[in-house]
């Protein structure tokens, strides 16, 4: 797996690292308060936050993991984008961001405190913090794989060195540094992966040549389709009900609408319309990301052998880089992977330090301290988060396909949170303790499903299908418990719910619209509808 890099490749990588650190130092000059550190002062334009939104998700997990899924499951992997991302991103922008942004909350757990109570806030803050550390570990492990291939370093050394890289610029410049670096990283990632995809297609004889070779692979004809045989036998062993309800609704909406690592980018926008436009702008490049993640995985499937039998699915992208890219281009591709790691890791750690500081430490441990105190706590939390991520990287090392591990985490943490959030948003009668007990019950149900599958008590076929069904169970249990507890407990007065639930707007909010916001190309509804229509049309190509 050792990559044949030369001096030119190392120079390109060094230039990138110098640029990243320079952005961190430049952003540090703008940090004068905790709001600057955690939410970039709420002053960024929509195109910046939109690119950061998609880049924060386009981490090493996304690139290595979705390519691994392309090898293991073929074209069905695009479900994670066209039904598993775009509709939920549009829903976040059109429906949910006005509640987040206009309520002036600093995080999703803080919104839950205002809608329900402090116990619900603390429960969500703890589960979110744990999830971000685990996911940060996956990002660290993914980059360590690349550095091991690049430099030949042992995995433990690669993990530690990789952690130090990202720690430096997040600690310096907070969310501003993370976001501006994410915009840079988005273009660096494209510059690295587009040549890899083009050269891979040339190697296999273009799209038609790839299709012929996939038919001859272990996946067979099923590897070229998305919805065909989803009521019977298919590479993912997934039923269309699990895909639509488990992935398309529960996992997708649970992740995109409540995951603070993503929502935080929109909260840093300069006004409500910019916040709403953030995920919708991100939805358009998201439609095309499978071309540089899933498609290379399918190319690796037909170029290499031994998958699942000694050959790790996670190695698809590094193996393509090793065999296809000339020097110079190889340096750009390696830099793209390093950039993807930093984007994903920065999203995890910036989300962790904000939630830990505001929703755990300030709200439940040390209240009423000066702003400088919480700024220092945020920086300490950043260091601690990265250190814990180093430990959890070795959990991810136990999975041959890191995306399976990641989806399992989402079924535990995001699916029940979405149930609590969406019911509380549209049903004003839902009580504070219904929020707490529903969220706790749903989370435990998700864990129980996964443990049952791993123990052989439940047969879901594949790990990914187990995540689909586990997410559905977690959502259903949360919803049922929320309704039952609501019927026997007392709801909040309507005055306390203004601006937090559908149909009860806050009466004291100023209009923050800017000149030009009324134009059609700044309309979340118009652009969001266009993104959903495009996703549906793209399915028509590979039904």
């Amino acid at each position: 797996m050792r990559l044949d890099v030369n001096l030119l490749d190392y120079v390109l990588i060094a230039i990138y690292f110098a640029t990243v650190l320079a952005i961190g130092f430049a952003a540090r000059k703008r940090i004068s308060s905790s709001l600057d550190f955690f939410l970039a002062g709420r002053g960024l334009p929509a195109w910046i936050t939109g690119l950061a939104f998609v880049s924060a998700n386009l981490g090493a997990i996304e690139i290595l993991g979705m390519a691994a899924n392309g090898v293991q499951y073929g074209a069905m992997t695009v479900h994670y984008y066209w039904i598993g991302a775009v509709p939920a991103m549009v829903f976040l922008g059109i429906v949910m961001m006005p509640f987040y942004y206009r309520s002036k909350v600093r995080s999703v757990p803080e919104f839950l405190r205002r809608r329900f109570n402090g116990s619900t806030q603390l429960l969500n803050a703890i589960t979110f913090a744990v999830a971000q550390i685990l996911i940060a570990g996956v990002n660290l492990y993914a980059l360590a794989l690349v550095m091991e291939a690049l430099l030949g370093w042992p995995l433990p050394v690669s993990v530690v060195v990789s952690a130090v890289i990202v720690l430096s610029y997040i600690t310096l410049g907070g969310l501003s540094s993370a976001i501006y670096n994410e915009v840079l990283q988005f273009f660096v990632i494209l510059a690295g992966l587009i040549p890899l995809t083009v050269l891979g297609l040339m190697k296999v004889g273009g799209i038609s040549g790839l299709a012929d070779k996939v038919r001859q692979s272990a996946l067979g004809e099923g590897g070229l389709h998305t919805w065909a045989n989803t009521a019977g036998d298919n590479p993912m062993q997934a039923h269309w009900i699990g895909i639509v309800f488990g992935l398309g609704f529960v996992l997708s909406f649970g992740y995109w609408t409540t995951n603070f690592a993503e929502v935080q980018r929109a909260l840093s926008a300069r006004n409500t319309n910019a916040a709403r436009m953030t995920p919708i702008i991100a939805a358009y490049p998201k439609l095309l990301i499978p071309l540089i993640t899933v498609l290379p995985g399918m190319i690796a499937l037909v170029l290499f052998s031994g998958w699942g039998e000694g050959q790790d699915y996670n190695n698809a992208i590094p193996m393509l880089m090793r065999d296809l890219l000339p020097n110079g281009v190889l340096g750009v591709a390696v830099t793209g992977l390093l950039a993807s790691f930093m984007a994903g890791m920065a999203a995890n750690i910036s989300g962790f330090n904000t939630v830990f500081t505001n929703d755990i430490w300030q709200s439940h441990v040390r209240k009423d301290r000066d702003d400088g105190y919480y700024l220092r706590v945020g920086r300490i939390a950043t260091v601690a988060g990265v250190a814990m991520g180093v430990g959890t990287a070795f959990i991810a090392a136990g999975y041959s396909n890191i995306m399976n591990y990641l989806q399992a985490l989402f079924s535990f943490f995001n699916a029940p949170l979405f149930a609590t959030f969406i019911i509380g948003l549209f049903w004003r009668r839902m009580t504070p303790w219904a929020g707490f007990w529903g969220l706790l019950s749903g989370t435990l149900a998700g864990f129980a499903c996964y443990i049952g599958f791993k123990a052989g008590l439940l047969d879901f076929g594949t790990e990914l299908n187990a995540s689909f069904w586990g997410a559905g169970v977690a959502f259903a249990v949360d919803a049922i418990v929320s309704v039952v507890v609501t019927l026997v407990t007392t709801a909040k007065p309507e005055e306390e719910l203004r601006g937090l639930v559908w149909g009860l707007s806050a009466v004291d909010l100023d209009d923050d619209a800017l000149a030009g916001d009324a134009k059609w190309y700044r309309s979340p509804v118009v652009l969001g509808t266009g993104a959903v229509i495009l996703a549906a049309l793209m399915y028509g190509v590979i039904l």
Side-chain angles (χ1 to χ4, degrees), residues 354-488:
T354 302
V355 166
F356 177 83
T357 303
N358 295 330
D359 298 293
I360 297 177
W361 197 260
Q362 183 177 4
S363 297
H364 297 277
V365 180
R366 289 287 185 271
K367 301 180 181 180
D368 303 322
R369 296 294 185 94
D370 63 89
D371 189 70
Y373 172 82
Y374 296 115
L375 181 58
R376 290 192 298 274
V377 170
R379 287 201 162 102
I380 294 170
T382 302
V383 177
V386 172
M388 289 186 286
V390 170
T392 60
F394 297 99
I395 299 177
Y399 286 76
S400 64
N401 183 338
I402 54 176
M403 190 53 67
N404 290 340
Y405 172 55
L406 190 66
Q407 292 302 316
L409 294 179
F410 291 158
S411 69
F412 304 155
F413 299 119
N414 292 96
L417 175 59
F418 175 59
T420 295
F421 200 102
I422 203 68
I423 296 171
L425 186 66
F426 289 103
W427 189 29
R428 66 185 70 170
R429 170 72 177 83
M430 185 176 176
T431 64
W433 286 109
F436 174 81
W437 289 111
L439 183 57
L440 179 61
S441 301
T443 302
L444 294 177
F447 272 110
C449 270
Y450 183 73
I451 292 170
F453 169 72
K454 297 297 284 186
L457 302 176
L458 299 172
D459 182 15
F460 295 117
T462 64
E463 290 247 5
L464 281 187
N465 196 39
S467 296
F468 296 167
W469 286 100
V473 169
F475 181 92
V477 168
D478 187 311
I480 292 169
V481 171
S482 296
V483 171
V484 171
V485 175
T486 292
L487 297 177
V488 296

Side-chain angles (χ1 to χ4, degrees), residues 14-25:
I15 291 172
Y16 171 72
F17 282 133
T19 304
V20 164
L21 291 175
I23 291 174
F25 279 105

Side-chain angles (χ1 to χ4, degrees), residues 33-382:
S33 68
S34 61
L35 183 65
D36 294 333
F37 187 79
F38 294 124
L39 288 178
R42 291 185 187 265
L44 301 178
W47 74 270
I48 290 284
T49 55
L51 289 179
F53 189 98
V54 70
S55 181
N57 183 252
L58 190 59
I61 298 171
E62 174 93 353
I63 293 171
L64 297 187
M66 286 302 178
N69 277 352
V71 176
Q72 193 170 2
Y73 306 115
M76 291 189 74
T77 307
V78 302
H79 287 313
Y80 282 97
Y81 297 89
W82 299 342
I83 193 174
V86 171
M89 294 165 75
V90 171
F91 181 82
L92 170 64
I94 292 176
V95 177
M96 296 181 69
M97 277 315 304
F99 292 95
Y100 281 135
Y101 194 87
R102 302 297 296 272
S103 65
K104 302 299 182 184
V105 297
R106 295 166 294 178
S107 66
V108 172
E110 184 177 350
F111 186 92
L112 292 177
R113 176 184 63 78
R114 294 181 59 182
R115 172 60 184 89
F116 298 110
N117 56 25
S119 298
T120 308
Q121 174 197 27
L122 182 60
L123 174 61
N124 177 231
I126 291 172
T127 57
F128 174 82
V130 170
Q132 294 314 293
I133 294 302
L134 291 171
I135 297 170
V138 181
N139 264 310
L140 273 173
Y141 170 66
L143 181 63
L145 287 177
V146 177
M147 294 186 70
E148 187 176 28
L150 173 65
L151 302 172
W153 292 356
L155 186 65
V157 175
S158 298
V159 167
V160 174
V161 172
S162 303
V164 172
I165 294 170
V166 74
L167 175 63
S168 56
Y169 78 81
I170 301 178
T171 306
L172 285 170
L175 186 62
S176 293
S177 177
I179 284 178
Y180 282 112
N181 267 306
E182 284 160 3
V183 174
L184 167 67
Q185 288 153 357
F186 176 75
F187 293 106
V188 173
I189 291 166
L190 294 183
L193 294 183
I194 288 175
L196 185 71
T197 304
V198 172
L199 291 173
L201 284 174
M202 293 172 60
K203 181 80 171 179
V204 299
I207 293 293
S208 60
L210 175 62
D212 290 339
K213 291 178 173 61
V214 170
R215 290 188 184 98
Q216 299 167 21
S217 72
L219 294 182
E221 182 69 26
L224 298 173
H225 300 285
T226 53
W227 292 105
N229 296 319
T230 51
D233 185 43
N234 59 74
M236 201 175 279
Q237 298 181 41
H239 195 278
W240 67 267
I241 296 175
I243 295 172
V244 172
F245 180 67
L247 172 62
F249 179 60
V250 178
L251 275 174
S252 170
F253 279 68
Y255 175 81
W256 291 104
T257 66
T258 64
N259 183 4
F260 181 59
E262 297 292 337
V263 173
Q264 187 180 25
R265 272 79 195 140
L267 287 178
S268 67
R270 61 186 178 184
N271 70 340
T272 304
N273 193 70
R276 297 180 73 193
M277 288 294 292
T278 295
I280 293 171
I281 289 172
Y284 282 87
K286 192 71 175 176
L287 288 166
L288 301 176
I289 294 299
L291 295 177
I292 58 171
T293 55
V294 181
L295 194 56
M298 296 173 67
I299 293 169
L301 165 69
V302 302
L303 287 182
F304 309 108
S305 59
W307 296 111
E309 300 173 358
Q311 184 60 265
D312 224 44
Y313 295 114
N314 299 320
N315 288 332
I317 292 290
M319 291 173 71
L320 289 173
M321 290 168 54
R322 178 195 66 189
D323 288 7
L324 298 180
L325 298 182
N327 291 113
V329 179
L330 179 60
V332 174
V334 172
T335 304
L337 276 185
L338 296 177
S340 72
F341 152 76
M342 290 184 176
M345 182 74 173
N348 301 140
I349 297 302
S350 60
F352 169 82
N353 64 25
T354 302
V355 166
F356 177 83
T357 303
N358 295 330
D359 298 293
I360 297 177
W361 197 260
Q362 183 177 4
S363 297
H364 297 277
V365 180
R366 289 287 185 271
K367 301 180 181 180
D368 303 322
R369 296 294 185 94
D370 63 89
D371 189 70
Y373 172 82
Y374 296 115
L375 181 58
R376 290 192 298 274
V377 170
R379 287 201 162 102
I380 294 170
T382 302

